[in-house]
């Protein structure tokens, strides 16, 4: 029977375990959000690459005949513009994702530092309780 000190020690341990679980949950949620954003950017980039590939095929076909070249040129220009736009959009989204990832990392680091300080404080309290 350790009495109040044993109970206080047990309470500190429980608090420490809860804080560690919360920290893990926050870090996992931030990582999942960053992964989802990266997957979205990858999908847009894939679509832009496909559009560029289709454009190359259309340009080769325009060389087959002069008549066909005039009709295809307008369509190719439109597809090229759309492909460029989608490529620019993908680059922009990639930049946003990198910024989000950097922010997420900063938040996670700051949270981790806070929780580490809390953990150190709890460990110090635990040590003080043990030394009594």
């Amino acid at each position: 029977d350790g009495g109040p000190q044993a109970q206080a020690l047990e309470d500190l341990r429980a608090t420490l375990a809860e804080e560690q679980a919360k920290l893990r949950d926050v870090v996992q949620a931030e990582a999942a959000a960053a992964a989802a954003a990266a997957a979205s950017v990858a999908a847009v980039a894939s679509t832009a690459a496909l559009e560029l590939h289709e454009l190359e095929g259309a340009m080769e076909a325009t060389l087959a005949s002069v008549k066909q070249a005039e009709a295809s040129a307008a369509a190719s220009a439109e597809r090229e513009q759309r492909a460029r736009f989608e490529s620019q959009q993908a680059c922009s989204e990639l930049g946003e994702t990198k910024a989000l990832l950097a922010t997420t990392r900063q938040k996670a680091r700051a949270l981790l530092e806070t929780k580490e300080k809390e953990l150190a404080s709890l460990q110090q309290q635990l040590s003080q309780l043990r030394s009594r």
Side-chain angles (χ1 to χ4, degrees), residues 37-97:
S40 173
V41 169
V44 171
S46 175
T47 300
L50 182 61
E51 287 286 335
L52 286 172
H53 181 71
E54 290 175 1
L55 176 62
E56 289 172 358
M59 290 179 142
E60 289 174 11
T62 59
L63 297 175
S65 77
V66 172
K67 217 176 205 184
Q68 202 176 24
E70 290 175 349
S72 293
S76 292
E78 184 180 329
R79 281 195 304 274
E80 181 179 357
Q81 184 177 9
R82 187 171 58 241
R84 283 184 182 147
F85 173 75
E86 288 179 3
S87 177
Q88 288 170 347
Q89 212 174 13
C91 289
S92 174
E93 288 183 19
L94 180 59
E96 291 170 9
T97 300

Side-chain angles (χ1 to χ4, degrees), residues 13 15 17 21-22 24 33 40 44 51 53 57 61-62 73 77 84 91 98-99 106-107 114-115 119 130:
R13 286 183 180 148
T15 301
K22 287 178 188 176
R24 276 192 300 274
S40 173
V44 171
E51 287 286 335
H53 181 71
T62 59
R84 283 184 182 147
C91 289
K98 286 181 179 178
Q106 284 177 335
K107 286 179 183 177
T114 299
K115 296 303 175 183
L119 176 60
R130 284 183 180 155

Side-chain angles (χ1 to χ4, degrees), residues 102-120:
T103 301
T104 299
R105 283 182 181 151
Q106 284 177 335
K107 286 179 183 177
R109 281 187 189 122
L111 184 59
L112 181 59
E113 287 174 10
T114 299
K115 296 303 175 183
E116 285 174 345
K117 288 177 185 174
E118 289 175 10
L119 176 60

